Amino acid sequence: MDLVRFGLVGYGFGGRYFHAPLLAAAEEVDLFGVVTTSAERRAQVAAEHPGLRTFGSLEELAEAGAEAVAISTPADTHTPLSEQALGLDLAVVCDKPFALDAPAASGTVRLAAARRLPLAPYQNRRWDSDFRTVRALVDAGRLGTVTRFESRFERFEPEPGPPAAGGGTLLDFGSHLVDQALVLLGPATSVYAEWRLRESGLDDDVFVALTHAHGARSHLWGSWSQGAPGDRFRVSGTEGGYVVGGPMDGQEAALLAGQTPATLGEGWGGEPQGRWGRLRRGDEGVVVPTERGRWDTFYPAFAAAVRGQGPVPVDPREAVATATVLDAARRSATEGVVVDL
């Protein structure tokens, strides 16, 4: 397969530490350049990826020959930048939150379909080691019928709290929490949510409860101010339960430490035995080896889709479903009501 010429839009925290290393490590990708107008970030690109070009705009990137872009910029720019890129005939990966609300998400999906261009939300947490383990256990029937899915993205960083670029905890952490719940248990029929707003107007602690069409329930927590973070997952079923604690999947920490799939090879995404979860039936339980985390598979799959050799790794219509749930959660938290979907 010919390499896909990929541009990265934005070189802040997400672009620098999450997208650039994974794009550079993907054998199917030619990391073609970075769009940033910041002199400081251009200097970082030059130091960390010698020879990688920088561009002042999407138009410059497209004119130079890019075929696809990964957008990692503040949340309120995702929709306009995605649609601008699609207008330039570029395939698009957009970081979460894919859009600020469901109507905006739907508009971008329609535009990509009309222009027949690949589009995918960057829901990389589907390939977390612990969530892959949950899915494997559920698919194998080892829990029986799942009745409740508990999931937490919790940390204790009350100062400075959630960054404005993420749009608040519901949009930022909630985009992953809700996406995982819908992937595991299917569509939601009702939503209840609670949140705490800071003086900045951003929510820094949120709880979302979903009722799914098949009767299971999801209880989801996201927080920047939780001094006692709970278990990452507790999944209850008619035949048993699975519990795995923290810290979260180690791929983020590996990238922040400068490690990549290229440097670690088959060691990428592995979790030490001390962090494995347990399959339990009351007081009885067995340790379950944790699946490898596979964030490294996202960009190769998207590159194949650009070449017409497979589907995008995440269907963009699923981002609309997630945004619909988040819209309902915002209304529920604001009005104190249960929202039916």
Side-chain angles (χ1 to χ4, degrees):
M1 188 180 86
D2 290 339
L3 300 185
V4 174
R5 297 186 299 279
F6 238 104
L8 172 60
V9 184
Y11 204 71
F13 183 80
R16 181 182 183 186
Y17 291 108
F18 297 158
H19 292 275
L22 293 174
L23 283 163
E27 295 181 355
E28 300 80 358
V29 168
D30 171 15
L31 180 53
F32 187 73
V34 175
V35 176
T36 178
T37 57
S38 165
E40 176 184 358
R41 290 175 179 171
R42 287 184 177 224
Q44 290 171 342
V45 171
E48 295 163 1
H49 299 274
L52 183 60
R53 301 171 65 184
T54 55
F55 298 89
S57 68
L58 271 170
E59 289 88 352
E60 291 180 17
L61 182 75
E63 289 172 2
E67 301 173 273
V69 292
I71 294 172
S72 182
T73 55
D76 59 358
T77 67
H78 287 179
T79 294
L81 285 175
S82 293
E83 296 189 352
Q84 182 185 4
L86 291 167
L88 292 167
D89 287 326
L90 297 170
V92 174
V93 171
C94 183
D95 211 338
K96 54 78 190 172
F98 180 75
L100 296 182
D101 54 42
S106 296
T108 304
V109 172
R110 288 194 300 269
L111 178 61
R115 299 189 69 86
R116 298 186 178 181
L117 289 166
L119 170 69
Y122 190 64
Q123 290 291 2
N124 61 313
R125 293 289 181 179
R126 295 187 182 190
W127 291 272
D128 278 6
S129 57
D130 41 24
F131 186 64
R132 292 188 72 230
T133 307
V134 168
R135 294 188 71 180
L137 291 170
V138 171
D139 290 347
R142 296 182 68 182
L143 303 179
T145 300
V146 175
T147 56
R148 187 168 66 234
F149 173 61
E150 299 176 25
S151 175
R152 293 173 175 84
F153 272 32
E154 294 178 331
R155 59 185 60 178
F156 186 61
E157 297 182 25
E159 297 300 334
T169 306
L170 179 63
L171 277 178
D172 191 7
F173 293 170
S175 291
H176 286 313
L177 291 163
V178 170
D179 178 73
Q180 289 178 335
L182 299 182
V183 165
L184 188 70
L185 296 174
T189 57
S190 69
V191 181
Y192 169 76
E194 303 168 0
W195 67 3
R196 182 174 59 217
L197 295 175
R198 295 173 67 102
E199 297 79 4
S200 63
L202 297 174
D203 57 296
D204 77 341
D205 188 90
V206 63
F207 167 72
V208 180
L210 308 181
T211 301
H212 296 268
H214 294 294
R217 298 180 186 273
S218 291
H219 290 171
L220 314 173
W221 289 264
S223 182
W224 285 79
S225 54
Q226 176 53 263
D231 290 327
R232 177 66 187 90
F233 291 118
R234 184 171 74 161
V235 190
S236 303
T238 55
E239 299 297 324
Y242 172 73
V243 180
V244 61
M248 293 179 63
D249 171 277
Q251 293 173 96
E252 177 176 340
L255 289 169
L256 292 176
Q259 300 170 332
T260 73
T263 60
L264 291 183
E266 290 298 313
W268 175 260
E271 294 289 345
Q273 188 169 348
R275 290 171 57 174
W276 292 356
R278 294 179 64 86
L279 183 63
R280 298 182 55 180
R281 290 174 58 88
D283 292 335
E284 301 177 357
V286 295
V287 174
V288 177
T290 297
E291 301 276 334
R292 279 182 61 197
R294 297 309 305 268
W295 291 5
D296 57 317
T297 62
F298 185 95
Y299 280 115
F302 190 83
V306 173
R307 291 286 177 256
Q309 298 182 16
V312 292
V314 179
D315 190 318
R317 292 171 295 183
E318 294 170 355
V320 179
T322 294
T324 299
V325 170
L326 294 174
D327 287 353
R330 186 181 303 107
R331 178 187 164 198
S332 175
T334 301
E335 300 178 9
V337 298
V338 175
V339 178
D340 293 325
L341 300 179

